[in-house]
Amino acid sequence: RVPMPSVDPKTFKPGRRKDPETSLLYVGRIPPAINPYGEKSPILLLLILHRLLRKREVNLTIVGDGAGLPLCKRFAQKLKLEKNVVFKGFISRSELPDLYHRSMLTLVPMELYDIDGFFDGSIQESLACATPVAAFKPSTSKPLEGTLGFLLSKNVEKAAEDLSNLLNTPDLLAKKGFEGSEFVRSHCTEEILREKLRSEWEGLMKR
């Protein structure tokens, strides 16, 4: 399997947790609609955070730009989340590792069958920094724990409950982060991607 995309292990690497407060992170484009299949939907995270705050104090940092950013900000105000959501907008890649290190969990608001380290740049970056990842499961039959991360329920109330339970298990989060970092740094670096692509191309040329 060829990892697409890849991650720079010199930039994205494990680091000490820099902030004791409970912090969640989203990194990616901000589209103007909720469509968790095939495209990330950070607006959905605001609904989940609204429910989650009934159970515990937690902060969400949203990094990225896009047509949906103004809508996201207005929606956060409507839900009275201003104290618990920070919109960073577009930032340079060199600033991202610090945010991953400050976060307990990176949220990827789209449906995935598993978190295996081969798909999505923000998943690879987060895992490379040893920060675990949670996305959404395609069906209720899927377990919460995936190969290298977690799969939340698509139901907002249940997703908030899943997150609350995960944040109560720091040892499990740390374990998934460590396993993810080991995998990504062993299989998904730019150098390994080049080698795999070269090998696949050479195999095609021999046919």
Side-chain angles (χ1 to χ4, degrees):
R1 299 178 67 183
V2 178
M4 295 294 289
S6 62
V7 68
D8 180 359
K10 294 180 181 179
T11 301
F12 298 94
K13 53 189 176 182
R16 216 170 94 186
R17 298 293 139 195
K18 298 184 178 181
D19 199 330
E21 69 183 18
T22 302
S23 182
L24 305 172
L25 177 65
Y26 168 77
V27 177
R29 196 173 75 85
I30 304 178
I34 294 178
N35 178 24
Y37 185 79
E39 187 166 26
K40 295 178 182 178
S41 302
I43 292 175
L44 183 60
L45 299 181
L46 299 177
L47 290 170
I48 295 171
L49 178 64
H50 186 249
R51 269 49 165 213
L52 183 58
L53 286 169
R54 299 172 186 173
K55 303 174 184 293
R56 65 190 307 133
E57 186 66 20
V58 60
N59 297 317
L60 170 65
T61 299
I62 294 180
V63 177
D65 204 350
L69 181 57
L71 176 61
C72 250
K73 290 182 176 180
R74 289 196 301 269
F75 196 43
Q77 291 176 341
K78 182 178 180 180
L79 294 175
K80 302 187 186 328
L81 298 176
E82 297 97 321
K83 293 182 179 179
N84 297 91
V85 179
V86 176
F87 291 94
K88 290 283 190 179
F90 176 82
I91 65 174
S92 67
R93 294 180 76 81
S94 63
E95 297 177 76
L96 286 174
D98 183 64
L99 289 175
Y100 286 120
H101 295 155
R102 290 178 181 273
S103 303
M104 291 186 69
L105 192 63
T106 297
L107 302 177
V108 180
M110 64 188 302
E111 288 183 12
L112 298 175
Y113 283 95
D114 194 10
I115 295 175
D116 57 14
F118 282 105
F119 178 74
D120 189 78
S122 65
I123 290 179
Q124 290 182 354
E125 291 170 356
S126 183
L127 292 179
C129 291
T131 299
V133 175
F136 290 92
K137 63 180 73 175
S139 69
T140 56
S141 61
K142 282 279 185 179
L144 175 63
E145 188 172 336
T147 303
L148 293 175
F150 304 96
L151 296 170
L152 308 174
S153 169
K154 290 183 289 185
N155 176 276
V156 170
E157 198 70 48
K158 184 64 169 62
E161 182 182 338
D162 289 341
L163 275 176
S164 183
N165 291 335
L166 283 176
L167 294 174
N168 285 330
T169 57
D171 290 344
L172 176 60
L173 292 177
K175 175 176 176 288
K176 280 296 180 185
F178 175 78
E179 291 173 351
S181 181
E182 289 286 300
F183 180 87
V184 169
R185 295 170 71 79
S186 298
H187 298 278
C188 304
T189 66
E190 294 171 351
E191 181 180 355
I192 291 170
L193 174 60
R194 285 195 297 269
E195 291 174 357
K196 285 185 176 290
L197 288 174
R198 185 182 299 112
S199 175
E200 291 294 326
W201 176 252
E202 289 174 352
L204 289 172
M205 293 297 290
K206 291 177 182 177
R207 293 179 183 177

